[in-house]
Amino acid sequence: MMTEPDAAPPTAPAKPKSGWLNLVVDYGPVVIFFAVYRFSSPSDHNNSVAEVLAVIKGTVAFMVAAVIALLVSKWKLGRVSPMLWLSTGLIVVFGGLTVLLQDKVFIQIKPTAIYVLFGAALLIGAWRGKALLKILLEAAFEGLDNEGWMKLSVRWGWFFLSLAALNEGLRHSLDFGDWIAAKLWLFLPLSFLFTFAQLPMLLKHGLAQEAEAEVLTDPPHE
């Protein structure tokens, strides 16, 4: 009696790729704010009324872009990370205060609040034996062992707190336009450099084995 061959096990649905789309979602609103503010900013920076109006226009664009980024993340990636929820909420809150009170300080404090909250959460979680960063980035670093996740959480925790201190220093020492430029041209490269600096540790704690397993199970097609 012939038996039917066993059915092939169902394959897991492919996870959505993040890559460039995550960069757009994370940094697109900042670029929009920078562009609108620069376009609206008066040539005479002593014109305080025009300067405030430029900040308000940029802030409104920032808030709209942040909400759009959240919706795009949900639509294209199928999820909204806790970090994106928090940052969007703070953008709306501090942006609303900026528009209502016409005080640009609130938009400058927002990054500090985000960095302090996430830095403190990661370090407190590590102190309690929990790598909270795994909740946010597990899909991006499959194969990373628990020790690797703990090290990554601690390092990002201190990095976030360092960014908070840097933001406060720049906020008090630069004018608003230069602070906006620093947000784009300083904080973004620092984040990339810090991320790349973690690669040796990530490879040591499991990513290399995961990459090798993927190559063995998925040989190149001729």
Side-chain angles (χ1 to χ4, degrees), residues 18 26 65 172 202 205:
S18 50
D26 291 339
H172 286 93
L202 295 175
H205 286 280

Side-chain angles (χ1 to χ4, degrees), residues 59-60 63 90-100 106-107 110:
T59 301
V60 172
M63 294 164 65
L90 290 177
I91 287 170
V92 172
V93 171
F94 284 101
L97 289 172
T98 301
V99 173
L100 290 175
F106 291 107
I107 205 69
K110 187 270 301 178

Side-chain angles (χ1 to χ4, degrees), residues 112-124:
T112 301
I114 292 178
Y115 296 143
V116 168
L117 285 173
F118 275 99
L122 291 176
L123 292 176
I124 291 173

